[in-house]
Amino acid sequence: MEIYIQEQKEKIGQRIRKIITILDIEPAQFAALTKLTVNTIINIESGKGFNSNTILNISFYTGMPLNVLLDLSSNKIDQKTLIKNFWYNVKAYNSLGYKTFNEKRFTIVEAIRELINETSFFNIPKKTGEVCDRISKDYSIKLKSPAVSQALLDFVEEGLLKKKKMGTRNNLYYK
């Protein structure tokens, strides 16, 4: 029985890791945005353990009912709905975490808008890291890639940029 329990914990950890990957944020950021500790997220991802309150918390913030969140037989996650629900719930129920995450967002959005409208930067597809490096250089600010990723996705949604997948984790953004 203990082997079965451990296997299930590991599968749940893989599922949560996939959710964090889809959201394109770091585990520490996911922890802060869901009002959990970094150690809790590390323990979940590694299959070490967690309690039902932790899983309910993740279910709430992701907007995924428990039966969907814990559907370990399915590898499918509705990415668009997950992203939409997660950011809505974080903004509504953890406004301080949302504000902290987005504190440099205005500068990032304006910098990306300038790169789109006034330069040829996005004529060649760029990874998030390349956009971070350019903005960091141009504005002398230190950036976290998840904030830049979210801004880039917003520009894709607005139709100002296009996105294509490169590998399992990276996206390329271009005009």
Side-chain angles (χ1 to χ4, degrees):
M1 179 172 103
E2 291 194 25
I3 293 173
Y4 171 80
I5 291 171
Q6 185 56 41
E7 287 173 350
Q8 297 308 302
K9 285 180 181 180
E10 289 172 7
K11 286 180 182 179
I12 292 169
Q14 291 169 357
R15 183 83 164 174
I16 301 304
R17 196 172 317 114
K18 182 174 183 173
I19 288 168
I20 293 169
T21 299
I22 289 169
L23 293 170
D24 196 20
I25 57 178
E26 299 297 319
Q29 292 167 322
F30 184 76
L33 293 168
T34 57
K35 296 184 178 180
L36 297 169
T37 67
V38 176
N39 283 340
T40 297
I41 299 304
I42 290 169
N43 286 339
I44 292 171
E45 285 189 324
S46 64
K48 288 185 181 171
F50 43 84
N51 63 39
S52 59
N53 286 338
T54 301
I55 296 301
L56 289 168
N57 191 315
I58 293 171
S59 172
F60 174 79
Y61 278 103
T62 59
M64 296 174 76
L66 286 175
N67 65 322
V68 175
L69 179 67
L70 300 176
D71 183 2
L72 305 178
S73 64
S74 171
N75 200 21
K76 294 182 181 180
I77 294 176
D78 181 353
Q79 296 181 11
K80 189 173 182 177
T81 302
L82 167 65
I83 292 167
K84 178 183 166 191
N85 288 342
F86 179 77
W87 290 110
Y88 174 83
N89 288 333
V90 167
K91 187 175 183 180
Y93 300 101
N94 186 3
S95 59
L96 180 60
Y98 184 81
K99 183 180 177 200
T100 301
F101 182 80
N102 285 311
E103 64 187 6
K104 293 181 181 171
R105 187 152 165 69
F106 179 75
T107 304
I108 294 167
V109 169
E110 291 308 310
I112 293 172
R113 189 177 309 282
E114 187 175 306
L115 289 172
I116 292 169
N117 294 328
E118 299 177 23
T119 72
S120 59
F121 181 75
F122 283 106
N123 288 353
I124 298 171
K126 304 291 182 193
K127 290 193 258 181
T128 302
E130 293 172 294
V131 178
C132 283
D133 292 344
R134 175 68 182 261
I135 294 171
S136 293
K137 185 181 120 215
D138 289 355
Y139 291 85
S140 300
I141 58 174
K142 195 170 185 178
L143 298 173
K144 302 258 183 193
S145 65
V148 175
S149 292
Q150 186 60 46
L152 288 166
L153 289 171
D154 290 347
F155 281 109
V156 169
E157 199 168 289
E158 287 178 34
L160 295 173
L161 286 177
K162 296 176 184 160
K163 169 182 92 165
K164 68 178 173 183
K165 199 81 164 149
M166 185 180 96
T168 57
R169 269 196 71 129
N170 293 314
N171 291 313
L172 292 174
Y173 299 92
Y174 59 97
K175 286 186 189 179

